[in-house]
Amino acid sequence: MDTILVVNAGSSSVKFEVFAVEGSTLKRQTRGQVDGIGTQPRLRAKGPDQTVLVDREFVAAKVPDVPAALAAAGDWLREELDLHPIAIGHRVVHGGPDFDAPVRVDAEVLHRLERYIPLAPLHQPYNLAPMRTVLATMPDIPQVACFDTAFHRGHSALADHYAIPEALYAEGVRRYGFHGLSYEYIAATLPEIAPEIAAKRVIVAHLGSGASMCGMNGGRSVESTMGFTALDGLPMGTRPGQIDPGVVLYLAAEKGMSATELQRFLYHDCGLKGLSGISNDMRELQDSPDPRAKLAVDYFVYRIGLNAGMLAAAMGGVDGFVFTAGIGENSAKLRAAIAEKLAWLGVALDAAANEARQSLISGSSSRIPVYVVPTDEELMIARHTLALLGKGSMQPKHERAS
């Protein structure tokens, strides 16, 4: 059985999924992760029917870093499941100005992608680490890098620029947008789930620990709330979202914060965590009686409403709204609060449908339909990997697997 391995590596975990290749379609076989890297490493995986396949702990010294975590997962896949992937697809957060589509990985590609580590310090170095390991130890296995920025690369010059000297734009200082693999999956799925809006103007809200929104017209990205880095736009779990650059200047000049300290502050100490002083977890904040938690939740909802207005202006109107990602898919309470902020668009939810997390959650009186569409970035990566191998189409069938 031919399989494709999809890898999404972070600082303390490596998530992986295995897809069986059946002609030009893909079927999910295994989903797992190695987390607690360097502290309390643990390998867990489930089959397509949610059966637990492995739950194994390691001593910290055995899995001290991302390459070791990938090796632990790879050994288990080979030795116990007898899986030998024909290719590996990787999520890469930042493709910079060079990469507007998935690409086969070699030493030169890795070298070029390393330049964007400062633009995505929470993700990029860890995204690249498994590629480097596989290239060094198993160079014959094809690897494909899939970028969260690529889906937005068709933006107009107006949406793409900052009001700064053109020389900086030429160097790559521009508005990229992120969560592109998620938005690309939604765009590919809407013709089946919501054909009446698939070719029209749709706002998609990818709401998770990292959060952004995208305005799509005809399945293509028109505008995004994120820009040069994944700090921009909506407030997130630990990132501030939109912030006056003068605040950063103030922190440097008056608080004496270095570039390194600023980077850590903006990526780790702000957002819902910073505003509430309690947690970066939306579930904890919604359950907390603390008024600071309420402020953080209300702020999140308020900013989503503001950015919906921006995206509506960019597209000249809105024909549909889609919730996706962890918070967007799972929090009926938050969806209802956001819908109230979108009443000016004519949004009206069906309360029962929303609580039941049905696909269509808007009521009959709503001027635009509102959907909940689960995203599947890993399947999108597997699709691209298959296509780049010449074994499948870039416009695959809807084969979301559980």
Side-chain angles (χ1 to χ4, degrees), residues 227-305:
F228 182 54
T229 70
L231 287 170
D232 200 9
L234 302 179
M236 291 162 262
T238 61
R239 287 170 267 171
Q242 182 183 7
I243 189 170
D244 185 335
V247 174
V248 180
L249 295 175
Y250 173 83
L251 294 174
E254 300 299 324
K255 300 297 182 180
M257 295 177 72
S258 67
T260 300
E261 289 170 333
L262 282 167
Q263 178 174 287
R264 174 158 188 84
F265 175 73
L266 292 170
Y267 277 98
H268 295 279
D269 298 330
C270 295
L272 300 177
K273 175 185 175 183
L275 193 58
S276 70
I278 297 172
S279 174
N280 65 336
D281 190 317
M282 180 60 74
R283 293 165 296 188
E284 291 183 30
L285 295 175
Q286 286 185 301
D287 291 340
S288 173
D290 193 306
R292 297 174 300 166
K294 183 178 186 305
L295 173 64
V297 174
D298 289 348
Y299 183 82
F300 186 67
V301 171
Y302 174 67
R303 287 287 163 177
I304 291 169

Side-chain angles (χ1 to χ4, degrees), residues 93-154:
V93 166
H94 216 303
D98 293 343
F99 299 101
D100 59 2
V103 64
R104 287 281 292 265
V105 175
D106 57 23
E108 173 60 22
V109 166
L110 266 175
H111 176 69
R112 291 163 70 186
L113 290 173
E114 285 170 351
R115 292 184 293 174
Y116 309 124
I117 288 175
L119 307 188
L122 285 189
H123 305 93
Q124 197 85 349
Y126 309 105
N127 296 162
L128 303 185
M131 298 184 205
R132 194 177 295 109
T133 299
V134 172
L135 200 60
T137 59
M138 296 176 283
D140 294 334
I141 295 183
Q143 298 188 84
V144 175
C146 301
F147 306 102
D148 265 332
T149 50
F151 184 66
H152 306 291
R153 289 299 307 283

Side-chain angles (χ1 to χ4, degrees), residues 327-364:
I327 297 171
E329 294 173 24
N330 296 304
S331 179
K333 184 177 179 180
L334 203 72
R335 290 195 300 266
I338 293 168
E340 289 184 12
K341 287 293 182 185
L342 302 179
W344 64 276
L345 282 172
V347 169
L349 293 193
D350 179 319
N354 182 43
E355 286 293 334
R357 208 189 81 172
Q358 294 181 9
S359 179
L360 178 65
I361 61 171
S362 50
S364 58

Side-chain angles (χ1 to χ4, degrees), residues 7 106 117 178-179 222 245 267 273 343 367:
V7 175
D106 57 23
I117 288 175
F178 296 88
H179 294 131
V222 173
Y267 277 98
K273 175 185 175 183
R367 290 205 300 268

